Amino acid sequence: VEEIRCVCFDVGGVLLRIRRTWDEVVDDLDWQRRGTIGPLDRIPAFNAFQSGLIDYKQYCHELAVFLGGLSAQQADVAHRSILKEAYPGYPKLLSELAGRGLLIGCLSNTNEPHWERFFNGKLEEMERYFSVRVASHEVEVNKPNIAMFEAFESEAEFSGPEIAYFDDTEENVVAANTMGWRAFLVDPLGSPAELVRDSLESLGVFGARDS
């Protein structure tokens, strides 16, 4: 069995808690809404923005309309409010992985405002561990497009079963598995860091003494 040399993480829902619906965003901002709005990608502009097809100004305009006639400034606030706090347990885990000489990376469907916030505040002391960072708005495609996974392999200089991968979306896990990666589905409502540790233990990265 190929030895794990790289551990790769999705960000939202794996490293970082996020608000997963516009309803949650609007309610937490204490704004009024009429009825159910739906998941983030219910508005087509969301995925278009994350794959670099439209700019932030156009996205905020379309989001403002979608959310019921808000201003572009309010749309900007809503978009930035998707991000919450980091899940507990990761600083120690990442330190241990780095101590074992493993390359640590992230592979995220994201956008420029969120990407900047990941590494300037939201991930705090974890930021320094990520040697390879691949984002959809830079590659100009979204997962599960295989081009995203190929871009990560090119940057990391590892491939296939050398890579352990963690994502909270099943179709992305399936795509990673087609690349030969050892991919695991994360429950964003659970304890992702614990699942990551248990999964890596099953792959021999951690022994029983480390758990």
Side-chain angles (χ1 to χ4, degrees):
V1 179
E2 194 79 39
E3 183 180 354
I4 297 296
R5 299 181 180 277
C6 172
V7 181
C8 177
F9 299 89
D10 180 26
V11 180
V14 176
L15 296 171
L16 192 69
R17 296 186 201 275
I18 61 171
R19 296 176 172 89
R20 307 181 74 83
T21 68
W22 291 114
D23 306 87
E24 188 181 357
V25 168
V26 170
D27 289 349
D28 285 355
L29 288 170
D30 201 26
W31 294 351
Q32 289 189 334
R33 63 179 171 91
R34 296 184 296 274
T36 301
I37 309 171
L40 301 179
D41 61 1
R42 184 175 176 186
I43 172 175
F46 184 79
N47 282 339
F49 180 48
Q50 299 219 125
S51 57
L53 298 179
I54 61 174
D55 63 21
Y56 194 46
K57 182 178 180 180
Q58 181 181 346
Y59 167 71
C60 283
H61 170 74
E62 295 191 28
L63 179 59
V65 173
F66 174 78
L67 292 178
L70 303 180
S71 67
Q73 183 178 12
Q74 287 174 307
D76 170 66
V77 171
H79 179 73
R80 294 178 188 275
S81 296
I82 290 170
L83 304 184
K84 297 177 77 173
E85 73 282 355
Y87 287 102
Y90 275 113
K92 181 175 185 294
L93 176 63
L94 296 179
S95 175
E96 292 174 15
L97 292 175
R100 284 167 165 74
L102 294 168
L103 181 74
I104 301 170
C106 57
L107 177 65
S108 179
N109 284 353
T110 189
N111 51 80
E112 188 172 354
H114 286 178
W115 195 237
E116 181 181 351
R117 287 296 293 147
F118 291 161
F119 302 113
N120 288 283
K122 289 294 182 180
L123 296 182
E124 297 177 345
E125 69 265 38
M126 289 187 275
E127 184 270 340
R128 61 193 174 97
Y129 293 110
F130 294 95
S131 302
V132 176
R133 307 169 183 181
V134 176
S136 59
H137 68 286
E138 295 178 347
V139 180
E140 298 187 340
V141 295
N142 287 312
K143 293 177 293 184
N145 191 308
I146 293 300
M148 278 282 282
F149 300 91
E150 291 174 337
F152 185 87
E153 287 190 344
S154 178
E155 289 281 339
E157 298 183 346
F158 292 117
S159 63
E162 295 177 307
I163 302 173
Y165 178 62
F166 299 90
D167 200 298
D168 66 328
T169 302
E170 187 171 5
E171 61 183 353
N172 297 338
V173 171
V174 170
N177 280 326
T178 68
M179 296 289 291
W181 295 15
R182 259 78 76 83
F184 297 86
L185 184 64
V186 172
D187 178 4
L189 302 180
S191 301
E194 291 181 17
L195 181 143
V196 170
R197 181 179 290 279
D198 290 344
S199 301
L200 293 175
E201 183 178 332
S202 75
L203 296 175
V205 173
F206 293 118
R209 64 183 181 279
D210 301 310
S211 58

